Amino acid sequence: MRNESTRIAGAFLLGGLVGAAVAILFAPKSGAETRKDISKAAKKIKRNAVDLVEDTIESVNDFTSDIKEKASDIIERGIEISGNAKKEILTTLEQGQKAIEKQKKRLTETLGL
């Protein structure tokens, strides 16, 4: 995402510079008028670049917030899953222990101990 935004900003600025250069070369205006036009074009390019940077920063911040939120959800689910898995393991161990005790009792009764 960062590379794409950088390329877009670079292409935008390069296009603005090329357009300004072409306008200067083919403009049938006086030097003062041309300098005024150049100044206006530079200010417009600067405003657009600032807007583009601000939009990019906002997009990155939104993306970061979304990732943080999703990571928190995954962590919460992991905690819930591990809690459920822990309960299941304990239940299985208790059942196994009861089965062992039952078999031990049967063996002692069978052997008469």
Side-chain angles (χ1 to χ4, degrees):
M1 182 170 183
R2 189 177 212 178
N3 281 340
E4 185 178 325
S5 297
T6 304
R7 279 193 257 158
I8 291 171
F12 180 76
L13 291 174
L14 182 62
L17 292 174
V18 170
V22 169
I24 289 171
L25 293 174
F26 293 102
K29 296 181 182 181
S30 68
E33 289 176 343
T34 302
R35 285 190 295 276
K36 186 177 177 182
D37 289 345
I38 291 171
S39 176
K40 285 181 182 179
K43 287 177 184 177
K44 184 177 180 180
I45 290 170
K46 181 181 176 184
R47 271 194 317 270
N48 290 339
V50 168
D51 290 344
L52 180 64
V53 169
E54 288 174 352
D55 289 345
T56 303
I57 290 171
E58 186 177 331
S59 295
V60 168
N61 287 337
D62 291 345
F63 179 73
T64 304
S65 296
D66 289 345
I67 294 296
K68 285 180 184 178
E69 189 175 307
K70 288 178 182 178
S72 294
D73 289 344
I74 289 170
I75 290 170
E76 286 178 24
R77 275 203 235 141
I79 290 171
E80 290 173 10
I81 290 171
S82 67
N84 290 338
K86 187 177 179 181
K87 287 178 186 177
E88 288 180 28
I89 290 170
L90 289 175
T91 302
T92 303
L93 287 174
E94 288 173 358
Q95 290 173 350
Q97 187 176 8
K98 288 178 185 177
I100 290 171
E101 287 175 10
K102 186 177 178 181
Q103 290 298 326
K104 182 180 174 183
K105 186 177 178 182
R106 279 182 58 193
L107 280 174
T108 54
E109 288 175 359
T110 303
L111 297 174
L113 297 174

